[in-house]
């Protein structure tokens, strides 16, 4: 569940932002809650005893306490929620970076820019939860469920990823990904080759057999540790 708050004192803009958020969630089949506040003071009062939001969409120019002051209060109290500032005046950038703003979006809000930013934030949130791998190439961001990944292999200067839903290849070093995957269900078969134990049917001294029937090579020095990890993984699942 992704918890989102909108803090905006203009009723029409407030309704528009909420509509965009709910449409984005429905189109992407994301489970979200959206709470709307008409002032910074109302937000502080209502959110005081609630779990922290994942994202705050915050108007800067509000009566009473403005959005920049509210963001500073949140950071001073230790809050680390993502914050998107909305403003009609592009003069707050430096102040925004000081309070850890994720991005500034100018009013009138452009739907596609808003959705692109939401997609990026949501994908990173899921990656941090340990359930997804975030694949980024230029402006493109794609989330890949870890349980869908079968194996990851270095091929020259490229990374090849075999998944249940397709194959991915991009230019990167294996070392840049190795630490991210060498935990949980992933285990090293040989240099430059990681397998997801969830998709391993059988372990041998020189190869492992996947549930698809495909075989992958196993380095001699890796067999003992791989076999131990394989047994531990399935014993844990049985428990």
């Amino acid at each position: 569940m992704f918890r989102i708050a909108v803090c905006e004192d203009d009723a029409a803009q407030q309704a528009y932002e909420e509509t965009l958020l709910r449409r984005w969630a429905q189109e992407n089949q994301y489970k979200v809650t959206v709470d709307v506040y008409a002032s910074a003071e109302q937000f502080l009062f209502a959110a005081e005893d609630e779990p922290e939001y994942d994202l705050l969409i915050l108007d800067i120019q509000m009566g009473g306490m403005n959005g920049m002051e509210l963001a500073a209060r949140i950071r001073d109290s230790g809050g680390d929620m993502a914050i998107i500032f909305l403003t009609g005046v592009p003069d707050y950038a430096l102040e925004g970076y000081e309070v850890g703003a994720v991005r500034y979006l100018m009013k009138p809000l452009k739907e596609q820019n808003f959705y692109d930013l939401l997609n990026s934030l949501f994908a990173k949130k899921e990656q941090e939860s340990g359930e997804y791998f975030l694949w980024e190439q230029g402006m493109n961001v794609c989330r890949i469920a870890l349980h869908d990944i079968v194996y990851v292999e270095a091929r020259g200067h490229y990374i090849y990823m075999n998944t249940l839903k397709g194959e991915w290849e991009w230019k990167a070093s294996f070392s840049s990904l190795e630490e991210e995957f060498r935990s949980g269900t992933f285990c090293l078969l040989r240099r430059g080759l990681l397998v997801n134990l969830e998709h391993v049917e059988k372990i041998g001294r020189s190869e492992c057999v996947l549930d698809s029937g495909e075989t992958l090579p196993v380095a001699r020095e890796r067999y003992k540790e791989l076999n131990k990890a394989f047994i531990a993984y399935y014993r844990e699942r049985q428990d």
Side-chain angles (χ1 to χ4, degrees):
M1 180 70 69
F2 200 56
R3 300 185 68 245
I4 304 172
V6 172
C7 193
E8 166 69 62
D9 63 354
D10 181 276
Q13 183 68 26
Q14 190 184 93
Y16 178 58
E17 292 166 25
E18 184 177 7
T19 297
L20 289 182
L21 284 167
R22 297 194 183 281
R23 185 187 303 159
W24 165 79
Q26 183 177 16
E27 289 176 356
N28 290 280
Q29 298 183 330
Y30 292 150
K31 293 182 179 180
V32 303
T33 61
V34 180
D35 295 326
V36 179
Y37 302 96
S39 69
E41 291 82 1
Q42 185 186 33
F43 173 87
L44 288 172
F45 178 79
E48 185 176 6
D49 298 320
E50 294 293 328
E52 185 174 68
Y53 287 99
D54 297 294
L55 172 64
L56 171 60
I57 299 166
L58 182 56
D59 181 29
I60 292 180
Q61 296 163 291
M62 295 187 293
M65 182 186 296
N66 65 37
M68 199 65 67
E69 292 168 336
L70 173 57
R73 284 277 295 273
I74 291 170
R75 295 299 186 236
D76 288 344
S77 64
D80 63 354
M81 70 182 74
I83 297 175
I84 297 174
F85 279 128
L86 301 183
T87 180
V89 181
D91 295 334
Y92 293 96
L94 183 58
E95 290 182 69
Y97 288 125
E98 290 176 352
V99 294
V102 173
R103 184 78 65 82
Y104 274 87
L105 292 178
M106 295 296 297
K107 295 180 179 180
L109 187 59
K110 294 182 179 179
E111 182 175 321
Q112 192 56 55
N113 291 346
F114 189 43
Y115 284 178
D116 287 345
L117 183 52
L118 290 173
N119 288 336
S120 178
L121 288 172
F122 195 87
K124 288 179 180 178
K125 177 72 175 178
E126 290 185 318
Q127 184 190 30
E128 290 169 0
S129 73
E131 298 175 358
Y132 290 85
F133 169 73
L134 186 64
W135 181 80
E136 295 182 84
Q137 290 291 295
M139 296 298 292
N140 298 315
V141 180
C142 180
R143 62 190 181 99
I144 304 171
L146 293 185
H147 64 76
D148 283 344
I149 299 172
V150 181
Y151 62 89
V152 183
E153 184 177 15
R155 296 181 178 177
H157 297 293
Y158 287 81
I159 295 295
Y160 172 85
M161 182 180 288
N162 179 283
T163 80
L164 297 178
K165 297 179 180 179
E167 299 171 345
W168 304 77
E169 190 172 12
W170 68 97
K171 192 170 185 179
S173 66
F174 188 76
S175 60
S176 67
L177 297 178
E178 190 173 5
E179 287 304 315
E180 183 171 352
F181 283 106
R182 287 194 64 182
S183 61
T185 65
F186 289 86
C187 197
L188 192 68
L189 297 181
R190 59 164 173 76
R191 184 177 180 182
L193 179 59
L194 283 161
V195 71
N196 187 347
L197 294 174
E198 186 175 347
H199 300 292
V200 174
E201 188 74 27
K202 183 172 64 175
I203 298 290
R205 290 191 174 275
S206 61
E207 66 181 21
C208 73
V209 181
L210 304 179
D211 49 18
S212 64
E214 184 178 358
T215 61
L216 296 175
V218 176
R220 182 181 303 175
E221 67 274 12
R222 293 295 309 160
Y223 168 72
K224 186 175 181 180
E225 184 175 340
L226 175 64
N227 193 52
K228 182 179 178 181
F230 181 68
I231 293 171
Y233 172 71
Y234 280 98
R235 280 181 177 169
E236 184 178 338
R237 290 189 67 182
Q238 289 173 352
D239 294 340

